[in-house]
Amino acid sequence: MTSSPDPLTSANALWQRLTKHQPAVAAALAMQLRALPDTWAQRELGMARPHAVLELLPASDMPMEIAPHVADWEECPACDECEGLCRYHTGYATGYEELHRPLREISAADPTVTVQDALERLEEADEAAENGVLVRAVAQLIEGAQR
Ligand SMILES: [Zn+2]
């Protein structure tokens, strides 16, 4: 979704996408809105004047998206909707980076290492961290350096 600074434009775009992708949710939302009392701004958002509510800032910079994602990011309607990576692809990219950063660092330190060796070393490092071997080895290194 276009992160327009104008909440009325954003609301219109959101409604268009909601009716296209989630028509039942759009209908339920319309019913809920029609049932709100005149004091809705005060009751729901703590502000007496509805137009003052339009000045409220979003809680997150993450753009909203309603369109469903597809795994191929080049074909992803959710990515199209938010004009960047959708929530799914943001998570995917984060996981990809978390997996591949250590592999890149290991291969930069030792170009002869294979991916299998690197993954085994990462697993050994995780096990060493979990069972206290890493903490003891670091303590021995620190002691050795201080002598
Ligand atoms: Zn996407």
Side-chain angles (χ1 to χ4, degrees):
M1 174 174 172
T2 304
S3 55
S4 166
D6 174 25
L8 296 174
T9 303
S10 294
N12 187 47
L14 199 58
W15 179 255
Q16 296 302 321
R17 291 179 177 115
L18 198 59
T19 55
K20 178 180 177 187
H21 297 291
Q22 296 285 343
V25 174
L29 183 61
M31 288 178 205
Q32 285 187 14
L33 293 175
R34 293 181 76 170
L36 285 174
D38 289 342
T39 56
W40 68 268
Q42 179 68 43
R43 290 175 60 161
E44 299 292 328
L45 299 168
M47 298 181 83
R49 294 182 310 112
H51 282 80
V53 175
L54 294 176
E55 305 294 323
L56 293 175
L57 296 173
S60 164
D61 290 337
M62 185 72 190
M64 293 176 279
E65 93 248 352
I66 294 170
H69 76 271
V70 295
D72 180 356
W73 66 270
E74 290 182 330
E75 303 290 325
C76 180
C79 284
D80 281 347
E81 186 176 312
C82 66
E83 297 178 353
L85 291 180
C86 68
R87 287 174 288 180
Y88 170 83
H89 283 104
T90 298
Y92 190 89
T94 301
Y96 187 89
E97 176 61 21
E98 286 300 310
L99 175 63
H100 288 88
R101 183 174 27 80
L103 295 179
R104 284 195 310 270
E105 288 171 0
I106 289 171
S107 68
D110 180 359
T112 63
V113 74
T114 65
V115 171
Q116 184 174 353
D117 290 340
L119 291 174
E120 285 172 7
R121 288 184 198 176
L122 289 172
E123 195 173 318
E124 288 168 10
D126 281 346
E127 288 172 11
E130 284 175 18
N131 62 24
V133 170
L134 180 64
V135 171
R136 288 193 294 277
V138 169
Q140 284 178 349
L141 284 172
I142 291 171
E143 274 182 37
Q146 291 172 343
R147 283 185 202 154

